[in-house]
Amino acid sequence: MTEDLRRAARLAADLAVDHLAGIPGRPVWQPMGEAAAWLRDQPLPEHGRPIDALLADLASRVLPYPMGNGHPRFFGWVNSPPQPAGVLVEPVAAAMNPSCAGGDHAAVAAERCVVRWLAELTGYPSRPGGGLLTSGASLATITALAAARHRAAAADGWDVRAEGLAGRPPFAVYVSAEAHSCLRKAAELLGIGGRGVRVVPVDGQFRMDPAALRGALARDRADGLRPFCIAATAGTVNTGAIDPLAELAKVAAEEELWLHVDGAYGALGAADPAFAPRFAGMSSADSLALDPHKWLGVPVDCGCLLVREPAALRDAFSLVPPYLRDGGTDGPGWFSEYGPEQTRPFRALRAWATIAHLGRSGIEALVSRSVALAGLLAGMVDAAADTELLAPVVTSVVAFRYRPPGLDEAQVDAVNRAIPGAVQRRGRAFLTGTTLGGRPALRACLIHPDTTPGDLTILLSEVRAAGTERPVA
Ligand SMILES: *Cc1c(COP(=O)(O)O)cnc(C)c1O
């Protein structure tokens, strides 16, 4: 048994390494076509097969069809390639297979360490129990907003965990027009409702406008709403914009609101001292959501929630009476007291290995390289006669438009709507689109450590090729 397992393990390791090594030579992405049916429609096997046989299936039927995010010319969404150190420790985490609900074992200690490291990297205060790993920023956001909701209700003399929300003034949370949909999802799940998500206009650089926020707060209070949270963004999905966090922290303090920062993609930018000033104010937030599975390249999934006041999380989630708590009332206790999950995976190991392998200097270098490349791409877009930059680059997202001479606005929109799919099908680069100011836009996110300036030239030539290949409406 052990020798068979060892042989299969080596085969699996070879598959993983060969896959990583072969990526640059393959199309960034290719449609699965017929191959999808084989995987999707497999009958439930009556009898098992040896692991080697399964690995052969992986080699021929699974590995050729990646999403594309391992490739240096993948610029879509915010999906990074996996850091190799994070990949290689996966079998170890799976072999230990702990539940990280809590207890006295290595996975829990590792998670405490990783959470503290992430706080240090982003300049956020770190306290025992002041955070936990999650499946991603979406769950981190739900967790943070639950704590914020609980604290606000308690300030009103209302126990939201016992009473729910019926019969009390409707809660309101404030987000910018560029905020991620996970905030709306969190509000819906928490009974705040989509109508309780108050959308604040952005300024010319796609940042939440604090004056508009103050106005909305005053109007909503007069209308009988109960504002409880400002949910700012550090690194928006469309343009990478960072809301004016210091100013928003001031508003939050004056208005006695919880300040949450969605730093899913962008917060890691603060790891580079050169860019940290752009995140001024982030460290005074009540909570910060960030995704090590984005810029840092920790293999999916690995999100993180950091909180200023650990008790606020525990108050919102713990079902353990204080007298039964692990370590007495002073110890941080179990992670399952700080969020909705009970059985929790050993996410910490892939994050620990990634950070330990890169070190602070490696992470700084990763960030500054991405930001520099984004600046370079923005410069190329700006300089060319047929492309137009749509927003300043403050993190590593470049929002732009293809605008060849001679097209009217409707034609420009049609061609930019068609370009992402056409670029993807061509297979030499992967780009996604978005809507900015109500109009179709192209958006490149630079987080792959191996992307080169030459890859940016290819990206723009692919955009042009896709733009001319498509029939213009
Ligand atoms: C990716 C992202 C999210 C959602 O995070 P998940 O890890 O996918 O749950 C939220 N906000 C921003 C700004 C993001 O980039």
Side-chain angles (χ1 to χ4, degrees):
M1 146 76 182
T2 310
E3 280 319 305
D4 283 355
L5 194 57
R6 199 179 300 284
R7 199 185 63 246
R10 294 201 167 121
L11 215 57
D14 282 341
L15 278 184
V17 172
D18 289 347
H19 172 74
L20 291 174
I23 284 174
R26 286 196 299 268
V28 180
W29 170 81
Q30 57 176 331
M32 282 196 80
E34 304 284 294
W38 182 86
L39 265 179
R40 192 186 53 224
D41 302 338
Q42 287 179 76
L44 173 67
E46 189 56 40
H47 302 289
R49 290 192 292 149
I51 297 174
D52 317 37
L54 309 181
L55 292 174
D57 280 354
L58 285 195
S60 62
R61 314 271 197 168
V62 175
L63 285 164
Y65 303 103
M67 174 182 161
N69 51 322
H71 199 286
R73 283 194 299 278
F74 184 92
F75 302 99
W77 303 294
V78 197
N79 296 105
S80 46
Q83 281 286 337
V87 173
L88 297 185
V89 298
E90 289 278 85
V92 179
M96 291 183 79
N97 197 33
S99 166
C100 302
D104 179 13
H105 56 100
V108 169
E111 184 162 339
R112 299 258 178 242
C113 169
V114 164
V115 167
R116 177 171 47 79
W117 281 358
L118 290 168
E120 286 181 37
L121 280 169
T122 52
Y124 194 81
S126 158
R127 297 179 58 188
L132 76 176
L133 300 182
T134 63
S135 59
S138 298
L139 194 73
T141 302
I142 292 166
T143 308
L145 261 56
R149 182 188 70 156
H150 182 79
R151 190 179 78 179
D156 297 346
W158 185 281
D159 181 353
V160 75
R161 296 183 62 183
E163 308 299 330
L165 295 172
R168 50 159 297 125
F171 277 125
V173 53
Y174 296 78
V175 306
S176 92
E178 291 288 309
H180 191 274
S181 57
C182 74
L183 284 157
R184 162 100 190 207
K185 206 181 259 185
E188 291 180 5
L189 279 167
L190 291 166
I192 291 154
R195 233 177 297 160
V197 179
R198 316 301 286 171
V199 178
V200 180
V202 290
D203 64 15
Q205 297 180 32
F206 303 97
R207 300 173 302 190
M208 190 189 290
D209 175 353
L213 169 66
R214 285 181 200 273
L217 281 165
R219 275 195 306 282
D220 288 351
R221 284 196 200 277
D223 288 345
L225 299 190
R226 167 61 161 97
F228 77 106
C229 178
I230 301 169
T233 304
T236 61
V237 281
N238 278 339
T239 70
I242 302 171
D243 285 336
L245 304 175
E247 180 77 23
L248 298 179
K250 233 169 74 193
V251 179
E254 284 164 22
E255 301 266 349
E256 296 184 355
L257 303 172
W258 180 290
L259 178 63
H260 173 71
V261 174
D262 177 359
Y265 146 63
L268 244 301
D272 185 334
F275 308 120
R278 300 179 187 182
F279 297 84
M282 190 163 79
S283 60
S284 56
D286 294 286
S287 54
L288 169 63
L290 68 144
D291 266 340
H293 67 206
K294 287 182 173 161
W295 215 338
L296 196 48
V298 174
V300 170
D301 62 12
C302 188
C304 179
L305 175 65
L306 300 173
V307 292
R308 168 167 289 278
E309 189 44 69
L313 268 191
R314 206 177 195 180
D315 288 348
F317 287 101
S318 180
L319 289 165
V320 181
Y323 62 91
L324 283 180
R325 284 178 184 172
D326 184 36
T329 47
D330 295 334
W334 281 42
F335 285 114
S336 53
E337 290 181 66
Y338 289 76
E341 290 179 296
Q342 185 63 32
T343 299
R344 304 171 66 254
F346 194 176
R347 297 180 177 111
L349 196 61
R350 45 187 176 264
W352 176 85
T354 300
I355 300 172
H357 180 64
L358 290 171
R360 189 196 277 277
S361 61
I363 294 168
E364 264 181 48
L366 179 73
V367 168
S368 70
R369 197 184 139 71
S370 310
V371 177
L373 279 174
L376 186 61
L377 178 61
M380 290 160 71
V381 164
D382 216 22
D386 59 354
T387 51
E388 149 184 57
L389 189 64
L390 299 178
V393 172
V394 286
T395 43
S396 68
V397 174
V398 182
F400 64 107
R401 191 173 282 143
Y402 176 58
R403 180 187 280 287
L407 299 191
D408 66 25
E409 294 306 299
Q411 289 170 323
V412 168
D413 283 358
V415 79
N416 281 281
R417 207 175 286 122
I419 282 174
V423 167
Q424 291 166 20
R425 283 189 296 276
R426 292 171 59 85
R428 296 189 70 210
F430 195 108
L431 180 76
T432 47
T434 186
T435 306
L436 208 53
R439 298 188 55 189
L442 308 174
R443 174 193 169 280
C445 183
L446 288 105
I447 45 177
H448 198 303
D450 300 335
T451 303
T452 63
D455 290 325
L456 305 180
T457 308
I458 294 176
L459 170 67
L460 288 184
S461 70
E462 286 299 292
V463 164
R464 290 190 180 100
T468 42
E469 142 194 314
R470 302 291 307 170
V472 171

